[in-house]
């Protein structure tokens, strides 16, 4: 075989695949880092019989060792959830249900989304080192000068919570998972930029700073103006669209079905079409199969970074963007990635007057032209039966050159199975070398 049409096998064998950097915890530290004794006590005290252990990707290297220790102590089988159906920061109820689990132990980073399911769960947070003298030296002048500041501790540093409270006896100190206090000025102890952004958008403190323990720096936090500017651009894309795909990006966050129904009502009231899509974790390849969609609205956890991705072929928007773009009555909403912050069953008032798109410059009517959505007429063709209405999915599919693999039932002669080629794709046994 000519060299220009083949690749040296060493390329594949030596190729480095980029991915998540796995964490390998020393054997002697497993009991402390993963709080194994606490997990055992929790399972025994509640008499759980089927328990799932949920790990994010970067902790999977420790999962078998943790499972073996728990099984040895409990004398019962535990299950490892190695690939979450959606975001790893939320409890994966779907995968746990496959094992008929009556409880879940979640390891690693968590968000502060409200859970949708009532299945018992235990959070074991990540643990990071904290230089307490450096924290005290950097933060104390700020809290002494302004007594209105409160300290909010991210989950990675909750193991140092008592020490932090002792170092700042006159300052309110609380976990980031607790309901926000009324303090107008907040100092977050943590470095997760996405979580800090969500805190700023959801709770709107008058002043927000964060202390990064990895660099011992105190930073004034300001929202990236590009985040809010992009909302205006996406609002125009939504108004220009005819067909919107509603992607189910979570089943673990409270009210996900309610916001799904709300999106249906808003989109339908504006005369646009929608399709509900459930594909697990949305990827570029999965969503590329739905070329008829103009925009995708993702119902997901606020920590999902899909909203910031530029890799998808069509715009990815939040339920907030759809509500503001299509409902003139939604004037009091402030942007946030957490749909529970603005979800309501308020009035839906579509825009009645025509306007001009700021992106295409085309004239935009308030609603689509009347379609034959309710019509029951069909057209019988050689390649199947499709709806006459070509503005919907069936009509769009009928116009495509390639429609996927076809079964061709009754068109091929039935034959007995015969032996195929032997070997590998690089060189089968019947090919000349």
């Amino acid at each position: 075989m000519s060299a220009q049409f083949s690749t040296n096998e060493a390329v594949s064998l030596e190729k480095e695949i980029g991915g998540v950097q796995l964490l390998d915890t020393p054997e002697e530290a497993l009991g402390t880092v993963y709080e194994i004794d606490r997990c055992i006590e929790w399972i025994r005290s509640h008499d759980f019989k089927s328990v799932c252990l949920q790990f994010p990707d970067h902790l999977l290297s420790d999962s078998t060792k943790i499972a073996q220790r728990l099984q040895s102590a409990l004398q019962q089988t535990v299950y490892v959830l190695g690939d979450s159906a959606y975001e790893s920061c939320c409890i994966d109820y779907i995968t746990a249900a496959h094992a008929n689990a009556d409880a879940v132990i979640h390891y690693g980073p968590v968000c502060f989304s409200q859970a949708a399911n009532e299945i018992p769960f235990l959070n074991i947070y990540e643990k990071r080192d904290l230089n307490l003298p450096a924290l005290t030296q950097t933060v104390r002048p700020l809290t002494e000068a302004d007594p209105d500041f409160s300290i909010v501790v991210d989950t990675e540093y909750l193991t140092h919570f008592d020490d932090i409270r002792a170092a700042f006896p006159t300052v309110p100190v609380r976990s980031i998972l607790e309901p926000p206090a009324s303090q107008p000025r907040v100092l977050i102890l943590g470095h997760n930029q996405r979580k800090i952004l969500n805190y700023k958008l959801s709770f709107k403190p008058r002043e927000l700073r964060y202390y990064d323990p990895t660099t011992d720096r105190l930073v004034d936090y300001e929202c990236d103006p590009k985040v809010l500017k992009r909302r205006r651009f996406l609002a125009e894309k939504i108004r220009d669209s005819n067909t919107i795909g509603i992607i189910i990006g979570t089943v673990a966050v409270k009210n996900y079905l309610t916001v799904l129904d709300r999106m249906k009502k808003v989109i339908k009231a504006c005369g646009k079409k929608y399709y509900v899509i459930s594909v697990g974790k949305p990827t570029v390849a999965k969503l590329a199969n739905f070329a008829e969609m103009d925009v995708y609205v993702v119902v997901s956890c606020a920590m999902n970074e899909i909203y910031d991705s530029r890799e998808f072929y069509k715009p990815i928007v939040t339920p907030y963007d759809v509500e503001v773009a299509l409902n003139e009555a939604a004037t009091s909403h402030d942007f946030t990635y957490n749909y529970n912050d603005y979800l309501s069953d308020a009035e839906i008032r579509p825009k009645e007057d025509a306007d001009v798109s700021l992106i295409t410059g085309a004239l935009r009517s308030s609603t689509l032209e009347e379609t034959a959505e309710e019509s029951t007429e069909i057209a019988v063709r050689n390649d199947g039966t499709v709806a006459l209405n070509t503005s919907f999915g069936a009509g769009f599919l009928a116009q495509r050159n390639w429609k996927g693999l076809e079964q061709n039932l009754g068109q091929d002669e039935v034959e007995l199975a015969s032996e195929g080629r032997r070997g590998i794709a690089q060189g089968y046994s019947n090919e000349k070398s």
Side-chain angles (χ1 to χ4, degrees), residues 74-382:
L74 297 168
Q75 295 300 307
Q76 67 183 59
T77 303
V78 297
Y79 303 90
V80 175
L81 306 183
D83 185 19
S84 300
Y86 297 103
E87 290 302 302
S88 61
C89 60
C90 301
I91 305 297
D92 189 357
Y93 301 111
I94 298 297
T95 309
H98 294 167
N100 293 322
D102 49 15
V104 175
I105 300 179
H106 181 280
Y107 297 94
V110 299
C111 56
F112 34 81
S113 299
Q114 297 174 320
N117 200 300
E118 298 300 328
I119 184 173
F121 63 89
L122 174 66
N123 284 322
I124 304 296
Y125 308 119
E126 285 187 297
K127 296 169 180 60
R128 294 182 180 270
D129 295 332
L130 176 65
N131 187 340
L132 190 61
L135 169 67
T136 306
Q137 182 180 357
T138 305
V139 174
R140 180 166 291 168
L142 174 67
T143 57
E144 289 178 349
D146 192 342
D148 288 339
F149 263 100
S150 62
I151 298 178
V152 176
V153 184
D154 200 358
T155 54
E156 297 172 321
Y157 302 97
L158 285 179
T159 52
H160 309 283
F161 189 84
D162 293 336
D163 295 333
I164 297 171
R165 177 171 285 177
F168 299 92
T170 61
V171 180
V173 180
R174 60 182 177 82
S175 165
I176 198 170
L177 301 176
E178 296 177 19
S182 59
Q183 277 80 10
R185 295 176 175 82
V186 174
L187 170 67
I188 294 181
L189 177 59
H191 59 273
N192 188 315
Q193 295 295 308
R194 182 71 180 195
K195 192 176 290 188
I196 296 173
L197 171 62
N198 285 332
Y199 190 95
K200 173 72 172 180
L201 295 175
S202 294
F203 305 127
K204 302 173 180 59
R206 186 187 309 167
E207 184 177 348
L208 178 62
R209 301 187 186 189
Y210 72 93
Y211 176 82
D212 186 351
T214 62
T215 60
D216 294 326
R217 292 176 57 244
L218 184 63
V219 183
D220 290 336
Y221 184 80
E222 294 292 339
C223 287
D224 187 350
K226 293 181 181 178
V227 174
L228 299 180
K229 288 181 180 179
R230 183 161 176 78
R231 311 272 63 87
R232 303 187 185 99
F233 167 76
L234 293 176
E236 286 297 310
K237 296 294 289 186
I238 294 169
R239 296 185 185 109
D240 288 344
S241 66
N242 291 329
T243 307
I244 298 177
I246 306 176
I247 301 177
I248 302 176
T250 183
V251 295
V253 181
K254 185 178 180 181
N255 294 324
Y256 76 95
L257 289 177
T258 305
V259 75
L260 177 64
D261 291 338
R262 177 70 178 181
M263 291 297 98
K264 292 179 182 179
K265 293 177 182 178
V266 172
I267 294 171
K268 188 173 182 179
C270 295
K272 300 181 184 294
K273 302 181 292 293
Y274 66 82
Y275 292 91
V276 179
I277 303 171
S278 179
V279 290
K281 286 184 180 179
T283 64
V284 176
K286 289 178 182 178
L287 299 190
N289 290 303
F290 306 99
E292 60 268 41
M293 306 301 167
D294 300 316
V295 170
Y296 295 105
V297 52
V298 181
V299 178
S300 180
C301 165
M303 292 292 288
N304 197 330
E305 296 183 352
I306 189 175
Y307 297 120
D308 301 325
S309 175
R310 302 293 186 273
E311 298 178 353
F312 292 86
Y313 298 109
K314 300 296 175 64
I316 303 293
V317 304
T318 68
Y320 168 90
D321 299 319
V322 174
E323 186 79 35
V324 172
L326 302 182
N327 184 9
E328 283 199 322
T331 57
S332 60
H333 298 314
D334 293 323
F335 173 68
T336 170
Y337 288 106
N338 185 359
Y339 57 75
N340 280 303
D341 290 342
Y342 55 80
L343 179 62
S344 69
D345 194 22
E347 173 192 6
I348 299 175
R349 190 170 67 246
K351 192 169 185 177
E352 298 179 355
D353 300 328
D355 64 350
V356 176
S357 170
L358 299 180
I359 297 178
T360 65
L363 184 64
R364 217 164 34 196
S365 60
S366 58
T367 58
L368 296 177
E369 296 180 359
E370 293 296 327
T371 63
E373 182 179 4
E374 303 299 330
S375 174
T376 58
E377 297 182 48
I378 57 175
V380 180
R381 300 182 181 178
N382 294 332

Side-chain angles (χ1 to χ4, degrees), residues 391-410:
S391 65
F392 287 84
F396 186 91
L397 179 63
Q399 296 173 6
R400 297 180 67 172
N401 294 327
W402 190 79
K403 304 178 181 63
L405 299 178
E406 299 178 358
Q407 299 183 39
N408 296 326
L409 297 177

